[in-house]
Amino acid sequence: MPGDQALRHFELDPQSGLDADAVRRAHARHGPNALPQALPKPVWRTFARQFKSPLIYILFVAAVLAVALGHHGDAMVILAVVLVNALIGTFQEGRAERSMEALRRLAALHVRVLRDGGERVVEARELVPGDIVLLAAGDAVVADARLIEEAQLQVAEAALTGESVPVSKSVVAVPEATGLADRHCMVYSGTYVTAGRARAIVVATGVHTEVGRIAGLTQRAEEPKTPLEMRLEQFGRALVAAALGLFVLVVLLGLWRELPLSEVLMVAISQMVSMVPEGLPVAMTIALAVGMQRMAERGAIIRRLSAVETLGSTTVICSDKTGTLTRNEMTAVALWLPGGRRFRVSGIGYLPEGALDEDGSPADRADPALRGLLVAGALCNDAELLPPEDERAGWTILGDPTEGALLVLARKAGLAIDALRRDAPREAELPFDSDNKLMATRHAASDAPRRVWIKGAPEAVLRLCAAEGGATSLAARDAADAMATQALRVLAFATVEDDILDAAAGFDVLVGRARLLGLVGQIDPPREEVKISVAECRAAGIRPIMVTGDHKLTGLAIARELGIAREGERAVDGPELERMGEADLREALPSVAVFARVHPAQKLRIVEALQARGEVVAMTGDGVNDAPALARSDVGVAMGITGTEVAKSAAKIVITDDNFSTIVGAVQQGRVVYANLKKVILYLFATSLAEVLVLLLALVGGFPLPLAAVQILWINIVTEGTVTVNLVMDPADGDEMRRAPVPRNDRLLSAGMLRRVALMTPLIAAVTFGWFAWRVGQGVALEIVRTETFTVLAMCQWFNVLNCQSASASALGARIVRNRWLLGGLALSVLLQSLVLYAPPMNTLFHTVPLPLASLLPLLLLASMVLWVEEARKLWVRTMHRTGP
């Protein structure tokens, strides 16, 4: 069907698109533009999965053994523990999944459409048949659509047809029986635009698209386990092996002591359970989910779980300049015309009010040379300048800010842009190419011959000019360099007074035929907060590098202002980089702070060179050609505002405000997540070992068993469980960005953590076993002594979780109320412990007796030794840190 017939089929005006009523009717008839998603996992299945664990198998064995030995109460307690553990796991998994779903909604695809006579940006799921979509390089195609207008359009269809190279498209109709791969007048959902631009009518959405018919190919795959998850699994397996060894040791010691076999077996199984960190998987899930939520609140949307842990290890951030380090609020402030004429432009932002001065005097707006430069900027331009929607709003730009600034400049000089574009309609174009750094358009005019307008990087435009190498060209290069040293972004403009513009020949056909019109210098002020963020990066052992398409002098000037480039560091541009061998590049990297005029393929080379030096690289990108570098980097960061959908798909993180400081904030939060997980590991490991040590001391010392099996289970599941998950909710300590990056091969139990375990574990064991041995020596009834020992051990856990919040900062003072989740967990743990002590049914189940309230104070004071000794160690650490070695 020809394009005009397709428009008639949908009763469309190609300039206005659907109106709001038509969109509502189509949406009601066709539904959302989405493939059917896999049904959410039923709660019962999530609940059942909680029982698929070696730990649970051990507990079931313990329950069966308890029944066989006649300990029915113990069996009930064990089964209740299993049930509670499964309920907690189900709740936390559901919570994490809801968090992930919320983040997926934040990362939803968006598309530009023509509705009600204007351009709109809507969510992809809101598209309906009949919508006119506007496509440009880097856009994802989110519905099947018929092309009605295109300019050099190329689409990557490998995901649908298997075609390995982008396919050129046209508006010419094809026979109905044409195969999918040869329907060049169509674009399909699941593909993406690699070059050019187009308008197309949506003809199918959701399940009715070609990819919808084979929806099984597009179902969301389950994300692979992250390196941290795999290391935790290995750690858990090692502890299970150690627990089995402990089981054998306890049984042998019990038999050697001639204790009742049933009691020894129950305690051995309980002790084996205590060695397995059952709270760790849940804690890790919550830590990652909380970290992702906190990052999302700060504007960083995590698309891959592995990015959360990798952020903490980042050693280099390669950042684009425009919009990330700067405001991306371009303003044209300087002009240069051949002959050395210079103009200053007043006004700031997108408000089209200001004046042009030449050598301090008002410029002549009718000057043909000046007008030619301004017309080139307005016509070789895809942006729109939109007036305020109401009195409180300001002028806005639809499109690229650099092009928007050219429209504002033209308006300041008195040009009527709409009339200009109407009188000189665009007939053909060569869209902007990031490799050539050029754009060209051909326009007709009623009172003049056809003309080609060209804009681009000065060196690229000058290569097309007839007088390249002449005095004008040399003067233009000097003028561009002078502007660049003032941190201005420089564009050059030229024209060809001919109708030649051949898409097949590209820009080569223009070489030697263009006439230089002049230069425009635009300022893009640095973001004020970035300078602070760069200093934070330096303090955190992270090296920032600017990677920009701008002139290297412009990039270097901004980099020095922000602190990215320091004394002795330099800028390297694309041609220099091209001449460097791999060894030369790796050797030069420590002294390079700015890579300028680089094309996307060179970004990939920079990433690989840094990684070859052992760096963990975060790379920002926004264009379709940035996707390889984003995918190859350790943490690909796509821009949420200016980024193409292809770049977002390749990245692990999308930052919603395109701000470098947001990346630094995400790095800090990645370090917080990892640090909190290590706090949990320290807590579980130290307390588990302490329980084991108490039991072994009793067995070897000839004492009765200090704890009943169900009491050990209570400590492991309830006392620890109520605080473990909440420990990962700890807020940032504040010094994360003053620490070195986390090594990629960092051990879960580092040397420093093992030293703390070596202090905590014997201390908890000494306090607990010391009280037990003393009370047994006094001849106190065993049931009372066990209840007191059980309570002392629980209290030690409460104090120890406060210890684990920081390796050096005191747990007292303001810090104690920072994590309200942890305070709530401690309060719950105290309440539950009180129930075990004073509720008669719990006394029976857990072999406890009510203790006089007055007797709890000595127990609490004794258990607090765990806190005071660690506080003394922390004070010594802080003192040594202040005074030095």
Side-chain angles (χ1 to χ4, degrees):
M1 187 182 289
D4 57 351
Q5 187 178 341
L7 285 166
R8 288 196 299 274
H9 174 80
F10 285 99
E11 301 178 354
L12 283 174
D13 178 348
Q15 301 305 316
S16 61
L18 295 176
D19 59 29
D21 289 337
V23 171
R24 278 194 294 271
R25 290 194 302 271
H27 198 273
R29 184 163 60 250
H30 299 283
N33 177 35
L35 296 177
Q37 294 188 349
L39 292 173
K41 296 172 187 171
V43 175
W44 68 264
R45 184 167 292 175
T46 304
F47 179 72
R49 192 170 59 251
Q50 307 306 314
F51 298 95
K52 295 172 64 177
S53 159
L55 166 69
I56 301 303
Y57 302 153
I58 291 171
L59 287 174
F60 277 134
V61 170
V64 171
L65 186 60
V67 171
L69 297 173
H71 297 194
H72 296 93
D74 288 358
M76 288 175 60
V77 170
I78 292 170
L79 292 175
V81 163
V82 170
L83 180 62
V84 170
N85 191 63
L87 289 172
I88 291 173
T90 303
F91 171 76
Q92 300 292 10
E93 274 199 37
R95 178 178 166 190
E97 181 56 36
R98 287 191 295 274
S99 300
M100 292 293 292
E101 184 57 38
L103 293 175
R104 278 193 286 269
R105 286 196 296 273
L106 285 174
L109 291 174
H110 290 79
V111 63
R112 293 185 300 148
V113 299
L114 199 62
R115 287 182 180 173
D116 290 317
E119 187 176 324
R120 304 280 187 274
V121 177
V122 300
E123 276 196 31
R125 64 181 288 110
E126 299 300 323
L127 278 186
V128 295
D131 262 326
I132 296 177
V133 294
L134 288 71
L135 300 171
D139 286 347
V141 181
V142 295
D144 292 358
R146 170 66 164 90
L147 293 171
I148 56 173
E149 178 186 316
E150 64 86 24
Q152 309 301 309
L153 186 70
Q154 291 189 322
V155 178
E157 296 184 333
L160 186 63
T161 67
E163 177 63 50
S164 59
V165 296
V167 177
S168 296
K169 297 288 184 175
S170 80
V171 297
V172 179
V174 298
E176 189 174 342
T178 303
L180 186 67
D182 296 319
R183 298 176 193 168
H184 298 311
C185 60
M186 296 287 296
V187 290
Y188 292 102
S189 178
T191 64
Y192 64 88
V193 179
T194 60
R197 64 177 184 84
R199 292 188 177 202
I201 307 170
V202 173
V203 298
T205 57
V207 294
H208 304 293
T209 62
E210 292 293 334
V211 77
R213 295 173 186 172
I214 48 174
L217 298 179
T218 61
Q219 286 179 350
R220 187 171 66 243
E222 190 171 323
E223 191 166 348
K225 291 180 179 176
T226 70
L228 179 58
E229 287 176 312
M230 291 187 285
R231 280 157 62 200
L232 282 173
E233 280 190 2
Q234 292 170 353
F235 180 65
R237 283 195 293 269
L239 287 183
V240 168
L244 290 171
L246 175 65
F247 174 81
V248 173
L249 178 61
V250 171
V251 171
L252 291 176
L253 284 173
L255 294 176
W256 171 65
R257 286 281 315 282
E258 298 180 351
L259 295 173
L261 178 61
S262 60
E263 191 174 359
V264 171
L265 285 175
M266 287 301 299
V267 171
I269 289 176
S270 302
Q271 205 66 63
M272 181 167 60
V273 170
S274 76
M275 281 290 293
V276 181
E278 60 275 357
L280 201 51
V282 172
M284 182 190 63
T285 301
I286 294 301
L288 292 174
V290 168
M292 293 170 75
Q293 283 179 317
R294 287 176 177 173
M295 290 181 197
E297 289 167 2
R298 296 185 180 190
I301 309 301
I302 306 298
R303 300 189 70 255
R304 304 282 190 279
L305 269 179
S306 57
V308 179
E309 60 188 86
T310 310
L311 278 168
S313 301
T314 300
T315 59
V316 173
I317 300 177
C318 294
S319 175
D320 190 15
K321 175 180 75 67
T322 304
T324 309
L325 299 171
T326 59
R327 294 183 178 277
N328 203 20
E329 296 174 357
M330 306 298 295
T331 304
V333 295
L335 310 179
W336 178 90
L337 298 181
R341 299 174 62 191
R342 300 176 187 274
F343 298 77
R344 305 301 299 179
V345 185
S346 63
I348 197 75
Y350 297 139
L351 180 66
E353 295 179 2
L356 278 71
D357 294 330
E358 182 179 10
D359 296 329
S361 302
D364 179 4
R365 295 185 175 186
D367 184 305
L370 176 60
R371 180 178 172 81
L373 176 62
L374 299 175
V375 168
L379 292 180
C380 189
N381 194 316
D382 289 327
E384 298 284 346
L385 179 61
L386 305 179
E389 294 183 356
D390 54 53
E391 294 181 357
R392 291 172 297 178
W395 287 74
T396 56
I397 290 297
L398 192 62
D400 183 76
T402 299
E403 292 189 324
L406 297 173
L407 298 181
V408 175
L409 172 64
R411 285 287 300 265
K412 288 177 180 178
L415 266 64
I417 297 169
D418 291 341
L420 183 66
R421 289 178 169 178
R422 186 173 57 251
D423 295 340
R426 185 183 297 186
E427 295 182 330
E429 67 181 280
L430 291 175
F432 178 77
D433 185 310
S434 57
D435 290 331
N436 291 315
K437 294 183 172 53
L438 289 167
M439 175 182 177
T441 58
R442 189 182 74 212
H443 296 260
S446 57
D447 58 348
R450 285 181 169 82
R451 180 172 292 201
V452 175
W453 302 99
I454 305 163
K455 80 161 182 272
E459 63 273 21
V461 172
L462 289 172
R463 281 196 295 269
L464 306 182
C465 293
E468 184 186 8
T472 298
S473 177
L474 292 175
R477 291 178 191 277
D478 290 342
D481 287 348
M483 287 184 180
T485 56
Q486 299 171 44
L488 300 185
R489 167 179 276 191
V490 187
L491 289 175
F493 296 83
T495 186
V496 176
E497 296 173 358
D498 199 342
D499 64 357
I500 185 167
L501 193 65
D502 186 350
F507 292 101
D508 292 342
V509 74
L510 302 174
V511 174
R513 306 187 65 167
R515 175 174 61 86
L516 182 68
L517 295 173
L519 307 174
V520 175
Q522 299 183 349
I523 190 168
D524 184 12
R527 293 179 182 265
E528 295 175 5
E529 67 274 19
V530 166
K531 192 167 186 178
I532 298 171
S533 297
V534 167
E536 287 181 350
C537 281
R538 297 284 190 190
I542 301 170
R543 183 176 164 224
I545 296 176
M546 180 189 291
V547 181
T548 178
D550 269 356
H551 193 287
K552 75 175 184 178
L553 293 178
T554 303
L556 192 58
I558 294 286
R560 283 179 174 152
E561 183 176 348
L562 293 173
I564 291 174
R566 298 189 291 191
E567 190 66 34
E569 295 182 332
R570 62 193 180 103
V572 170
D573 62 18
E576 290 177 77
L577 182 59
E578 203 69 42
R579 292 191 295 269
M580 286 184 179
E582 294 304 319
D584 295 333
L585 175 57
R586 291 177 196 173
E587 186 178 343
L589 278 173
S591 64
V592 178
V594 178
F595 287 97
R597 287 284 193 253
V598 293
H599 52 75
Q602 290 177 321
K603 281 190 174 185
L604 179 61
R605 188 179 170 207
I606 293 167
V607 169
E608 291 175 337
L610 286 165
Q611 289 173 330
R613 290 181 57 89
E615 306 285 2
V616 178
V617 183
M619 167 68 81
T620 69
D622 53 14
V624 59
N625 292 329
D626 290 333
L630 291 174
R632 182 68 180 85
S633 64
D634 299 284
V635 184
V637 182
M639 303 295 106
I641 299 173
T642 60
T644 61
E645 298 298 345
V646 177
K648 294 174 187 177
S649 298
K652 292 179 179 176
I653 295 177
V654 178
I655 56 173
T656 58
D657 58 0
D658 292 11
N659 191 334
F660 180 82
S661 296
T662 301
I663 304 173
V664 177
V667 170
Q668 181 196 28
Q669 198 56 49
R671 292 186 175 191
V672 170
V673 169
Y674 189 73
N676 285 350
L677 274 176
K678 296 198 78 168
K679 292 175 188 177
V680 171
I681 293 169
L682 173 65
Y683 173 69
L684 292 175
F685 195 62
T687 52
S688 295
L689 283 183
E691 292 172 31
V692 171
L693 194 53
V694 168
L695 178 67
L696 293 178
L697 286 171
L699 287 173
V700 173
F703 289 88
L705 293 173
L707 296 166
V710 288
Q711 292 172 348
I712 295 174
L713 289 176
W714 176 271
I715 293 287
N716 295 329
I717 304 297
V718 179
T719 307
E720 291 180 1
T722 52
V723 296
T724 299
V725 170
N726 299 324
L727 186 56
V728 300
M729 308 285 285
D730 251 11
D733 289 331
D735 65 345
E736 285 81 9
M737 299 305 285
R738 294 193 293 274
R739 305 173 192 164
V742 178
R744 297 206 71 163
N745 58 349
D746 188 44
R747 294 188 303 173
L748 292 177
L749 276 170
S750 62
M753 290 172 68
L754 287 174
R755 284 194 294 270
R756 295 183 69 192
V757 168
L759 175 64
M760 291 177 183
T761 297
L763 182 59
I764 296 171
V767 167
T768 306
F769 181 72
W771 179 268
F772 172 75
W774 178 62
R775 295 290 278 171
V776 168
Q778 284 187 320
V780 178
L782 183 59
E783 200 169 36
I784 295 175
V785 177
R786 278 183 173 169
T787 302
E788 291 174 345
T789 304
F790 171 48
T791 304
V792 166
L793 185 56
M795 290 174 171
C796 286
Q797 310 285 47
W798 301 338
F799 287 114
N800 196 39
V801 76
L802 298 176
N803 288 338
C804 293
Q805 284 188 285
S806 174
S808 58
S810 172
L812 307 176
R815 169 174 287 274
I816 204 165
V817 297
R818 291 189 327 141
N819 186 346
R820 295 181 180 177
W821 290 94
L822 183 58
L823 285 179
L826 283 168
L828 178 60
S829 185
V830 171
L831 176 63
L832 292 173
Q833 188 69 24
S834 300
L835 286 175
V836 170
L837 292 181
Y838 299 109
M842 302 290 274
N843 292 149
T844 304
L845 289 174
F846 288 93
H847 311 298
T848 58
V849 294
L851 298 176
L853 291 177
S855 69
L856 295 180
L857 182 59
L859 299 180
L860 189 66
L861 291 173
L862 179 65
S864 70
M865 290 293 295
V866 173
L867 176 67
W868 302 123
V869 171
E870 179 68 0
E871 284 294 307
R873 185 199 65 81
K874 290 178 180 180
L875 178 61
W876 180 80
V877 169
R878 294 195 299 273
T879 304
M880 292 300 294
H881 180 73
R882 285 194 296 267
T883 59

